[in-house]
């Protein structure tokens, strides 16, 4: 009977791991989609700036270049923040699974 308990615990752990792995894949796809959206938004923004503010000469930085650089920096920070958040979520899920796996052996019935 102890073997069934061990097999059930192992199956539950595998199922939990599979769910977390599936969730991780979904999260990574979501991050990738968010990054692509951010890049596309910056491209559209740069296009709007190009239309509104023509390029000056190469001899000095223009307001246009300053605005575009600020937009790129903002997008970069947003993507990095999103990445760190996802990394934290995945790390927390991993810790929770490890704790769950460690708690299971204690739940085994003792031999009387």
């Amino acid at each position: 009977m102890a073997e069934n308990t061990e097999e059930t615990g192992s199956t539950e752990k595998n199922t939990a791991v599979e769910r977390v792995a599936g969730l991780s894949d979904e999260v990574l796809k979501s991050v990738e989609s968010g990054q692509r959206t951010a890049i596309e938004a910056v491209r559209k923004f740069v296009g709007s700036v190009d239309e509104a503010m023509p390029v000056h000469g190469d001899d000095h930085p223009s307001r246009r270049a300053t605005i575009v650089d600020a937009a790129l920096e903002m997008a970069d920070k947003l993507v990095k923040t999103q990445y760190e958040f996802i990394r934290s979520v995945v790390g927390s899920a991993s810790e929770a699974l490890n704790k769950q796996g460690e708690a299971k052996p204690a739940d085994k019935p003792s031999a009387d």
Side-chain angles (χ1 to χ4, degrees), residues 6-63:
E6 288 177 19
E7 288 176 17
T8 302
S10 177
T11 302
E12 289 174 3
K13 187 174 180 180
N14 288 342
T15 302
V17 169
E18 290 169 1
R19 281 185 285 175
V20 170
L23 179 61
S24 294
D25 288 343
E26 289 178 31
V27 168
L28 291 174
K29 287 177 185 175
S30 177
V31 168
E32 182 180 0
S33 174
Q35 290 171 340
R36 290 181 191 275
T37 300
I39 290 168
E40 186 57 34
V42 169
R43 281 188 188 135
K44 287 181 181 181
F45 179 79
V46 170
S48 296
V49 170
D50 283 342
E51 289 177 17
M53 302 177 85
V55 177
H56 294 289
D58 289 333
D59 56 334
H60 60 83
S62 66
R63 279 202 255 166

